[in-house]
């Protein structure tokens, strides 16, 4: 078994605030001691004013790679549908180098239909998007082996989602981190499914870090269920890091 410490992440949702606020908040979170800062990969806000302020994922990650010095950074999660897999691999490799080896490639199959229709992508079905993700992951891995220079490290892959037949099979085969929205009972159940997929391919499931949403009042149960990465969500217009401070304090006390 891999003995993993608790890690705390911030998903800094790039909606309803100007970039100066986003950059300032990322810097404050790093100073507080957060382990990872995520954004997300959408083109419009997911809540609040539908046409409110919003910024693009990967250009922001490149800027964060220069603006931060310690934290890992990445998308939670990058939508597989929006970029050719080889291009995404190259983008990830480039941000990996800019950051000095601090990128996590979070990836998922996509779900927000407005992104697709407004930007001209084929929405397809949930099943077809998952099939596309399954086809893309080995292409991304293969491209990393061809790039010059190669990534600075084995870029950690985070796969988001909880589908038991397709998504968790992809997690078993490709992921270093599995991110789920499930509660403690759901995490326990889905980890059982994930262990079955790992057994089928001869992989130790302990190699996969379990990532969850940091929900107040659930931390102990989620930790007992196997979660080790907890993500606090904040957005605009006035991001408040009070909850993040509380989770960081819990991490430090529990990891002693």
């Amino acid at each position: 078994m891999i003995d993993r410490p608790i890690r705390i992440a911030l998903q800094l949702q790039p909606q309803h605030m100007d970039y100066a606020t986003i950059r300032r908040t990322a810097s404050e979170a790093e100073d507080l001691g957060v382990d990872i800062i995520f954004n997300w990969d959408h083109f419009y806000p997911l809540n609040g004013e539908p046409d409110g302020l919003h910024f693009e994922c990967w250009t922001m990650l490149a800027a964060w790679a220069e603006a931060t010095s310690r934290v890992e950074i990445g998308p939670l999660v990058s939508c597989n549908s929006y970029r050719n897999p080889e291009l995404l691999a190259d983008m990830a490799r480039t941000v990996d180098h800019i950051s000095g080896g601090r990128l996590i490639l979070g990836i998922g199959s996509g779900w927000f239909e407005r992104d697709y229709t407004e930007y001209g992508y084929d929405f397809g079905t949930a099943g077809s998007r998952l099939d596309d993700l399954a086809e893309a992951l080995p292409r991304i891995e293969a491209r990393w082996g061809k790039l010059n220079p190669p990534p600075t490290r084995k870029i950690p892959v985070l796969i988001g989602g909880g589908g038991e037949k397709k998504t968790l099979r992809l997690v078993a085969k490709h992921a270093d981190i599995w991110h789920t929205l499930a509660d403690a009972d759901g995490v326990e159940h889905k980890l059982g499914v994930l262990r079955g997929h790992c057994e089928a391919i001869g992989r130790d499931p302990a190699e996969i870090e379990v990532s969850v949403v940091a929900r107040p009042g659930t931390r102990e149960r989620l930790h007992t269920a196997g979660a080790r990465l907890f993500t606090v969500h904040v957005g605009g217009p006035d991001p408040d890091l009070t909850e993040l401070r509380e989770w960081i304090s819990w991490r430090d006390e529990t990891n002693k």
Side-chain angles (χ1 to χ4, degrees):
M1 290 291 292
I2 297 174
D3 184 18
R4 294 184 184 276
I6 293 167
R7 299 201 294 166
I8 302 299
L10 176 70
Q11 187 189 53
L12 182 50
Q13 300 167 347
Q15 60 177 1
H16 306 307
M17 54 185 149
D18 59 28
Y19 185 71
T21 302
I22 293 171
R23 189 183 189 280
R24 184 172 62 251
T25 305
S27 178
E28 182 181 355
E30 181 171 49
D31 290 344
L32 288 172
V34 76
D35 296 292
I36 306 166
I37 305 176
F38 293 117
N39 60 7
W40 67 25
D41 190 17
H42 295 290
F43 305 128
Y44 297 93
L46 296 189
N47 48 61
E49 168 53 49
D51 293 309
L53 297 175
H54 199 278
F55 292 97
E56 194 274 331
C57 171
W58 277 94
T59 42
M60 182 180 298
L61 288 172
W64 285 3
E66 290 281 6
T68 60
S69 61
R70 179 191 56 78
V71 293
E72 290 188 291
I73 57 174
L76 190 64
V77 291
S78 189
C79 177
N80 176 64
S81 306
Y82 301 161
R83 300 162 193 88
N84 168 280
E86 285 75 17
L87 173 61
L88 180 60
D90 202 344
M91 292 166 64
R93 182 280 310 252
T94 300
V95 175
D96 167 67
H97 275 265
I98 296 170
S99 67
R102 294 183 288 118
L103 179 79
I104 294 171
L105 176 58
I107 192 167
S109 59
W111 63 273
F112 188 43
E113 188 169 5
R114 186 184 182 191
D115 283 348
Y116 287 79
T117 56
E118 294 271 8
Y119 278 60
Y121 298 109
D122 179 21
F123 189 56
T125 65
S128 69
R129 294 192 299 275
L130 274 169
D131 291 342
D132 289 343
L133 177 61
E135 192 258 342
L137 286 164
R139 289 171 59 183
I140 290 168
E141 294 164 354
R143 180 56 50 178
W144 281 336
K146 298 175 182 178
L147 292 170
N148 185 17
T152 67
R153 62 172 179 169
K154 181 188 180 299
I155 295 175
V157 173
L158 177 155
I159 295 178
E164 297 179 9
K165 293 182 179 180
K166 292 185 176 182
T167 303
L168 291 181
R169 184 180 293 115
L170 294 177
V171 171
K173 187 173 183 181
H174 298 281
D176 303 285
I177 305 169
W178 167 52
H179 182 74
T180 176
L181 304 179
D183 60 14
D185 290 339
V187 169
E188 290 177 347
H189 169 72
K190 290 181 184 297
L191 277 176
V193 176
L194 179 58
R195 282 191 288 270
H197 289 308
C198 287
E199 182 179 356
I201 62 172
R203 186 178 184 191
D204 182 355
E207 295 176 0
I208 303 169
E209 185 176 21
V210 179
S211 169
V212 297
V213 177
R215 294 186 177 93
T218 65
R219 61 180 59 152
E220 301 297 343
R221 285 203 64 208
L222 284 165
H223 183 260
T224 300
R228 291 298 181 268
L229 175 56
F230 296 80
T231 299
V232 176
H233 296 178
V234 297
D238 300 306
D240 182 353
L241 299 186
T242 301
E243 185 181 357
L244 181 66
R245 290 184 177 91
E246 294 170 353
W247 281 89
I248 289 172
S249 295
W250 174 72
R251 175 201 67 191
D252 294 345
E253 182 64 28
T254 308
N255 282 344
K256 284 181 179 178

